[in-house]
Amino acid sequence: MKKKYYIETFGCQMNVHDSEKMAGIMKADGMSETLNPEDADILIFNTCSIREKAEQKFFSSLGRLRHLKKSNPALKIAVTGCIAQQEGAKILKRTPYVDYVIGPQNIHVLKDLDSIQIHSVACNDNPLIAATDYPVDRKDGIKAWVTIMYGCDNYCSYCVVPYTRGREISRPREKIIEEVEKLAQDGFKEITFLGQNVNSYKSDLDFPGLLNKANGIPGIERIRFVTSHPKDLSKELICSIRDLEKVCEHIHLPLQSGSSRILRLMNRKYSYEEYLDKILGLRDAVPGISITTDIIAGFPGESAEDHEATVNAIKEISFDGMFAFKYSHRPGTYASGFEDHLGDKIKSDRLYEIIDIQNQITENRNRSLYGSTQQILIESFVEAREGRQYQGRTRTNKIVNCTQSTPPAVAFIIGDLADVNITNTARHSLAGIIK
Ligand code: SF4
């Protein structure tokens, strides 16, 4: 009988995609997936350590499923991802029922777990990672993540990623292009290039060069990328977004703070003025581009004036969307050694103020799309009494719920592109009728 794996994933898209790779590795080794941990021969916790909360969530999930080892002593438990890399053998001490600790650069060991000693740690640097083609078990049939680089060299003072995912290393472009061509043959319509800092991609091509190559692949309709660092947003990249028809008009560009003083303490390597200049350049070249961002509320030493600068920046730039979080103390990072950490109440108050302001801005920006025509890529549909209801995303990455005009000229299916007349708008989505 085939052995079964169960994967629980925490954190960012990078981890979600790593879980697809782990599933691919184990499937290629003859295992099958189960969604029920009680049926599994191995439980994998793919962890995130970007914030304290994500770490707590993992340890509570691990504790919740620990009893399964009592009823099935042959069950194996593996901890992978950023906490595995950061904590290493300490995890085996703290939770001795864990069998394997595997860092993000060592997921290949899942291929042959039976040959590895239990209670072992695989967290070494793996220089071959960028040249390795991992099998990937993708759940979605039309949208695919494609890793173009691993690690990060930026050392933002609050961030654990350079310590958990290692130094920046780009995949050879021919491997990336081969993967995208194969995805196109398999019917995928949209790809998202993935990396901690995609716009510093470097092989024999730079990032705009890679986008240009991917743009020429027949069958792929849309190209996205995440995440970009503002300091590496070049004029050439702005031109690529403007000129390459498959590159979507959306960029996620983490600002983190509107105060240049705090940006310096964060080691972000740009000032607010430089960031704003790039936003103006983007909007000038690509009118209607959607810009989303990340903000950290309550960084150590953030004064009322610094917070005010962030509020003003959010109003001035008018982002389409934002992920905002309270500053989270991460052991081992440079900022964890700062002395002037703020209390939880002030961090929460600032966070809620920022979120309230952005919610209103998002709603207004979506409202401005009322009456416009937006192209969507259909991702799902349900049959309802009133007819088929579709859901998709605009090129600017906004969710649209829509119906077909009656009687429908063509029945659309998942993966089709459709033009939608926007007849209603809300904070989190748009609604309309397919033309
Ligand atoms: S760019 Fe900064 S925040 Fe992003 S992964 Fe690298 S160190 Fe972390």
Side-chain angles (χ1 to χ4, degrees), residues 152-156 158-162 196-197 229 256 268:
C152 181
D153 281 349
N154 285 320
Y155 291 93
C156 299
Y158 52 84
C159 183
V160 289
V161 166
Q196 301 295 345
N197 188 10
H229 194 295
Q256 307 300 13
R268 290 290 288 173

Side-chain angles (χ1 to χ4, degrees), residues 14 45 66 102 107 146 177 180 186 221 223 227 284 311 315 338 384 396 404 408 424:
M14 203 69 114
F45 294 88
R66 163 189 191 179
I102 302 165
I107 56 173
V146 176
I177 296 302
V180 178
D186 291 345
E221 305 281 2
I223 301 169
T227 288
D284 191 39
V311 167
K315 290 180 182 163
F338 290 179
T396 52
Q404 266 178 291
N424 210 345

Side-chain angles (χ1 to χ4, degrees), residues 148-152 154 168 170 193-203 205-211 224-238 240-241 251-254 268 270 275 278 282:
I148 65 163
M149 61 195 306
Y150 296 92
C152 181
N154 285 320
E168 208 165 280
S170 295
F193 283 147
L194 196 59
Q196 301 295 345
N197 188 10
V198 282
N199 48 352
S200 71
Y201 175 84
K202 196 97 207 110
S203 61
L205 291 176
D206 59 7
F207 187 54
L210 182 69
L211 288 175
R224 301 186 187 276
F225 51 89
V226 70
T227 288
S228 304
H229 194 295
K231 79 171 163 49
D232 297 312
L233 178 66
S234 63
K235 289 212 166 69
E236 291 73 22
L237 179 53
I238 294 177
S240 299
I241 304 171
I251 189 162
H252 186 73
L253 202 62
R268 290 290 288 173
Y270 54 85
Y275 182 94
K278 297 206 174 184
L282 273 165

Side-chain angles (χ1 to χ4, degrees), residues 47-49 54-55 58-59 79-88 91:
T47 61
C48 168
S49 60
E55 208 167 306
F58 151 62
F59 279 109
V79 178
T80 63
C82 290
I83 298 179
Q85 185 69 34
Q86 195 172 278
E87 299 298 311
I91 294 180

Side-chain angles (χ1 to χ4, degrees), residues 42 76-80 84 91-92 97-102 110 113-122:
I42 176 161
K76 298 283 184 287
I77 297 182
V79 178
T80 63
I91 294 180
L92 300 177
Y97 48 93
V98 167
D99 297 283
Y100 310 109
V101 177
I102 302 165
L110 288 165
L113 270 184
D114 285 342
S115 68
I116 316 178
Q117 209 190 334
I118 59 162
H119 291 131
S120 63
V121 177

Side-chain angles (χ1 to χ4, degrees), residues 34-318:
T34 174
L35 300 178
N36 180 1
E38 299 189 4
D39 287 346
D41 298 284
I42 176 161
L43 304 179
I44 296 181
F45 294 88
N46 191 13
T47 61
C48 168
S49 60
I50 200 91
R51 277 175 283 281
E52 207 173 343
K53 229 181 186 165
E55 208 167 306
Q56 287 162 354
K57 255 167 95 180
F58 151 62
F59 279 109
S60 85
S61 277
L62 182 63
R64 191 168 36 80
L65 293 179
R66 163 189 191 179
H67 72 280
L68 295 177
K69 258 203 135 150
K70 284 206 181 112
S71 48
N72 175 13
L75 175 71
K76 298 283 184 287
I77 297 182
V79 178
T80 63
C82 290
I83 298 179
Q85 185 69 34
Q86 195 172 278
E87 299 298 311
K90 282 194 228 153
I91 294 180
L92 300 177
K93 257 198 182 149
R94 174 171 172 177
T95 48
Y97 48 93
V98 167
D99 297 283
Y100 310 109
V101 177
I102 302 165
Q105 295 197 15
N106 289 268
I107 56 173
H108 56 275
V109 303
L110 288 165
K111 185 172 177 293
D112 207 5
L113 270 184
D114 285 342
S115 68
I116 316 178
Q117 209 190 334
I118 59 162
H119 291 131
S120 63
V121 177
C123 291
N124 299 333
D125 282 351
N126 173 9
L128 297 178
I129 191 166
T132 306
D133 292 321
Y134 294 100
V136 184
D137 180 39
R138 293 185 165 92
K139 299 278 178 286
D140 192 308
I142 57 160
K143 301 197 305 179
W145 304 105
V146 176
T147 303
I148 65 163
M149 61 195 306
Y150 296 92
C152 181
D153 281 349
N154 285 320
Y155 291 93
C156 299
S157 65
Y158 52 84
C159 183
V160 289
V161 166
Y163 309 99
T164 59
R165 291 192 173 259
R167 302 306 300 262
E168 208 165 280
I169 171 163
S170 295
R171 272 181 88 193
R173 65 97 176 221
E174 58 278 9
K175 298 239 172 234
I176 298 168
I177 296 302
E178 254 169 44
E179 186 174 346
V180 178
E181 283 170 344
K182 174 78 179 42
L183 287 166
Q185 284 159 18
D186 291 345
F188 284 84
K189 299 285 193 255
E190 179 178 305
I191 53 155
T192 301
F193 283 147
L194 196 59
Q196 301 295 345
N197 188 10
V198 282
N199 48 352
S200 71
Y201 175 84
K202 196 97 207 110
S203 61
D204 57 332
L205 291 176
D206 59 7
F207 187 54
L210 182 69
L211 288 175
N212 193 30
K213 280 272 169 221
N215 192 64
I217 297 175
I220 295 298
E221 305 281 2
R222 289 179 166 191
I223 301 169
R224 301 186 187 276
F225 51 89
V226 70
T227 288
S228 304
H229 194 295
K231 79 171 163 49
D232 297 312
L233 178 66
S234 63
K235 289 212 166 69
E236 291 73 22
L237 179 53
I238 294 177
C239 292
S240 299
I241 304 171
R242 182 192 63 194
D243 298 338
L244 299 175
E245 72 278 9
K246 294 180 183 175
V247 175
C248 290
E249 297 80 18
H250 169 232
I251 189 162
H252 186 73
L253 202 62
L255 169 63
Q256 307 300 13
S257 170
S259 156
S260 295
R261 187 183 80 86
I262 294 294
L263 288 171
R264 250 190 329 276
L265 291 172
M266 288 177 166
N267 194 29
R268 290 290 288 173
K269 305 179 183 90
Y270 54 85
S271 65
Y272 173 64
E273 290 68 31
E274 285 163 338
Y275 182 94
L276 182 62
D277 206 44
K278 297 206 174 184
I279 297 291
L280 296 176
L282 273 165
R283 288 199 167 135
D284 191 39
V286 191
I289 189 171
S290 132
I291 302 173
T292 52
T293 199
D294 296 335
I295 295 285
I296 295 173
F299 188 79
E302 185 187 75
S303 66
E305 289 73 37
D306 294 320
H307 169 65
E308 203 49 39
T310 300
V311 167
N312 290 338
I314 291 167
K315 290 180 182 163
E316 180 171 27
I317 293 172
S318 181

